[in-house]
Amino acid sequence: MDCQLDIFFLEAILNGVLLAGLLALLALGLNLVFGVIDVVWICYAELVMIGMYAIFYAYTGGVPFPLAALLGILAVAATGALLHWVVIRPVLDQPPINQLLVTGGVLFFLQAVATMAFGIEFRSLGIRLGSTGFADMTFAWSRILAFVVALAGMLALWIFLSRTFLGTAIRAIAQDRQIMPLMGVDASRIYLVTSAVGGGLAGLGAVLMVLQYDIYPQIGLQFGPLIFMICVLGGLGSMAGGFVAAFLISQFIAVGGSCMATEWGYAVAFLFFMVAIFIRPQGLFGVRG
Amino acid sequence: MSRVALRPTRGIPPLAWSALGAAALLAVPILIRYGAPGSERYYLHILIQILIWSFIYTGWSLMGRFGLTSLGHGAFTGIGAYTTVLLWNVAGLSPWLGIPVGIGLATAAALLVAYPCFSLRITGHYFALMTLALTEFVRLCIVGWRDYTGGSLGTQPQRAPGGVSITALQFEPDRVLSYYIALALWALGLWMWLRVDRSMDRYALDAASQDEEAAASVGVDVTREKLKITGLSAAMCALGGAVYGQYQMYIGPDTIAGLGVSLNIVFGTIAGGLSVLLGPTVGAVFTQLLSEVLRVAVQGSGLTAQLGSAALALDTAIYGALLIFFIIYMPKGILGTILEARRRRRAGAP
């Protein structure tokens, strides 16, 4: 371990902050789906992977990047709605754990289909945004962009949930699943819309990730568990909690990764997560049900 | 105390059938030797894999059937396999001692995570995700400790001279011996399952899984009962993982540890039948044969030429689709559904 409190340490911390924006956005989509439908999409990271491939093929096929990004977001939103309609809806009455497991089947399925359709090679978009320097520190523009767009995406979701009729209905369903259908809210329609929005957030995450990382079918396993951890640490269903948890966890990864080998940063983050949950089982901002 | 009034256990074959089955399984190597002499090693290899995974699945089902859905068993198989191999490679300690150490470590890890979970009433999604974190933590430790573990490439136990060795517990070159070892392991798993099934703990856990507060109010020490079954389940999976490593003579962070292994254990068990004795075994037969048959079919057809190595993912795609199908339409699994249909027919109900 060679850690010094120098300018590179600060750089690691700031890079952690930039990473946190992306992770918070990804956690937000999962949290929304959990809060409203009470289902954990274990295959959430695989939806992001599908979005990354969609953007990759659209962009390399000649579509300009902003349009390709939009296509990617729509594709994942549609996948989210499809996932809900085909897989989740039939098991809504089964024990909650079956709902978690059925999406595990989707995880295997999507990964394998991606391997068959796209091959096992690492693929890269080939867009280089370069980096900017500040007092001996360098930051990739792609990360800064990801941070800004992630914050904007979260703000947009907040406005949608608090200012529109549909958003209000979504929040109402999340608070009381039994009463709202009696008030004339069509629960199955709300679930479908929520799944599409959750998928759309995964798609936005894919847009930001495709600029930073290479794409390969197993990429979901790299950050999927991390997103679940952030959601649980923040309190499943609590969006503010997920936001704070993302900042905590990404510091372990960024600072730990700069001091030690990358895996140890992650390992310490998972250890921290387990200890934190034992101290506060409901998560940072969660309410015990 | 009368146990007859409680839910009777289903799916345990009568003694005569069990004896017949045991005799058939013992005779399998002889049948294969004369039935398919050219591919003896291949068929035995498939059977050995089925038996070892059956044992691991059975170990998971011990706690899974009581609603304790752990995604942490990939950590326990990994701890068992890696402890055994590392102690042998680095310290020269025989697996006869290494396996108990591995089992001890895995059980300790299980209890360390499970105790706060159970006493804080972390259940359902949260328990699954907590144990998932343990799996990831163990996998990351294995990858991070690459000087000893070989990182993500995995490592091999150092071969003892002569191939088959008692002190090094290496038996892979002798497939018939390996088969009997795997068969003994599998039988141990069934025996453990039956012991748990016939114990008072089972009724306590059954009660706790339906209503924790009610069970506690009639004097069931819920946390203690859950810890007992978790420890046993983790120990069995560690043993299974260690034996698997000794047989394969290779361990890798993705083949014996990690989320993929955890999910395979859970799904294999659920596909076969979670709460029947031979359910996990049926699940292991199903999943292993499925991937083997698909692999052979894909290689035999022209698909490999068209898709290249990507065609190998076809079995996983079908596997994933079948899992979705099973959980939606057959949540009791293959054997569970068959047994229930048979019982209904006997009872005369539609």
Side-chain angles (χ1 to χ4, degrees), chain A residues 34 38 90 94 96-98 100-101 104-106 108-109 112 115-116 225 232 236 263-264 266-267 270 273 277-278 288, chain B residues 69 113 116 120-121 125-126 129-130 132-133 136-137 140 143-144 146 266-267 270 310 313-314 316-317 320 324 327-328:
Chain A
F34 178 82
D38 204 14
Q94 286 191 25
I97 205 69
N98 281 15
L100 185 143
L101 293 175
V106 177
F108 279 119
F109 180 74
T115 309
M116 282 196 294
V232 177
L236 266 176
E263 304 85 37
W264 290 118
Y266 281 86
F270 279 96
F273 162 71
I277 289 301
F278 292 151
R288 281 209 94 168
Chain B
T69 309
V113 171
L120 295 167
R121 301 274 169 89
H125 292 324
Y126 287 85
L129 293 173
M130 276 303 281
L132 186 154
E136 272 301 289
F137 176 69
L140 289 162
V143 175
R146 55 172 57 80
V266 179
F267 286 134
I270 288 177
L314 183 65
T316 318
I324 300 168
I327 293 171
I328 295 179

Side-chain angles (χ1 to χ4, degrees), chain B residues 124-171:
Chain B
H125 292 324
Y126 287 85
F127 184 67
L129 293 173
M130 276 303 281
T131 48
L132 186 154
L134 175 70
T135 302
E136 272 301 289
F137 176 69
V138 169
R139 188 186 69 83
L140 289 162
C141 286
I142 291 171
V143 175
W145 231 335
R146 55 172 57 80
D147 290 349
Y148 297 102
T149 60
S152 46
L153 295 176
T155 188
Q156 289 179 308
Q158 272 159 22
R159 294 229 176 221
V164 176
S165 158
I166 293 178
T167 44
L169 201 65
Q170 290 177 6
F171 43 81

Side-chain angles (χ1 to χ4, degrees), chain B residues 232-272:
Chain B
L232 179 63
S233 175
M236 282 172 71
C237 283
L239 174 60
V243 173
Y244 185 76
Q246 293 302 109
Y247 169 68
Q248 289 282 347
M249 292 301 282
Y250 163 78
I251 49 173
D254 296 316
T255 58
I256 197 63
L259 179 58
V261 173
S262 286
L263 285 175
N264 273 325
I265 294 173
V266 179
F267 286 134
T269 312
I270 288 177

Side-chain angles (χ1 to χ4, degrees), chain B residues 218-234:
Chain B
V218 293
V220 174
D221 187 343
V222 175
T223 303
R224 191 161 160 268
E225 291 293 343
K226 284 181 172 177
L227 278 179
K228 266 161 78 177
I229 201 76
T230 304
L232 179 63
S233 175

Side-chain angles (χ1 to χ4, degrees), chain A residues 50-248:
Chain A
I50 295 292
M52 290 171 79
Y53 273 113
I55 297 161
F56 173 81
Y57 279 101
Y59 179 72
T60 49
V63 181
F65 184 74
L67 199 58
L70 191 65
L71 282 175
I73 293 172
L74 291 176
V76 185
T79 314
L82 194 71
L83 172 73
H84 179 76
W85 198 250
V86 175
V87 176
I88 303 290
R89 203 174 44 101
V91 294
L92 275 177
D93 297 329
Q94 286 191 25
I97 205 69
N98 281 15
Q99 297 157 9
L100 185 143
L101 293 175
V102 80
T103 62
V106 177
L107 182 155
F108 279 119
F109 180 74
L110 288 181
Q111 239 179 44
V113 167
T115 309
M116 282 196 294
F118 312 127
I120 49 171
E121 299 85 4
F122 284 59
R123 293 181 195 280
S124 152
L125 217 49
I127 296 179
R128 292 278 168 269
L129 295 177
S131 57
T132 179
F134 174 74
D136 282 348
M137 300 181 283
T138 46
F139 301 101
W141 275 114
S142 58
R143 290 188 179 191
I144 298 168
L145 183 73
F147 182 77
V148 173
V149 173
L151 286 189
M154 284 182 263
L155 191 68
L157 181 75
W158 182 73
I159 290 171
F160 168 69
L161 287 180
S162 55
R163 296 293 152 87
T164 64
F165 179 75
L166 203 55
T168 312
I170 288 177
R171 283 188 298 133
I173 280 272
Q175 276 175 15
D176 198 324
R177 244 169 287 279
Q178 270 84 44
I179 294 296
M180 283 323 286
L182 302 177
M183 305 283 197
V185 174
D186 181 358
S188 70
R189 188 167 146 259
I190 294 295
Y191 285 177
L192 200 62
V193 170
T194 306
S195 300
V197 174
L201 288 169
L204 185 58
V207 173
L208 304 177
M209 284 187 64
V210 87
L211 290 170
Q212 294 183 45
Y213 305 101
D214 286 345
I215 316 160
Y216 58 102
Q218 269 79 36
I219 191 172
L221 288 182
Q222 291 296 319
F223 65 93
L226 209 62
I227 300 171
F228 304 128
M229 194 171 62
I230 288 168
C231 286
V232 177
L233 183 61
L236 266 176
S238 157
M239 298 182 195
F243 194 73
V244 175
F247 276 84
L248 280 172

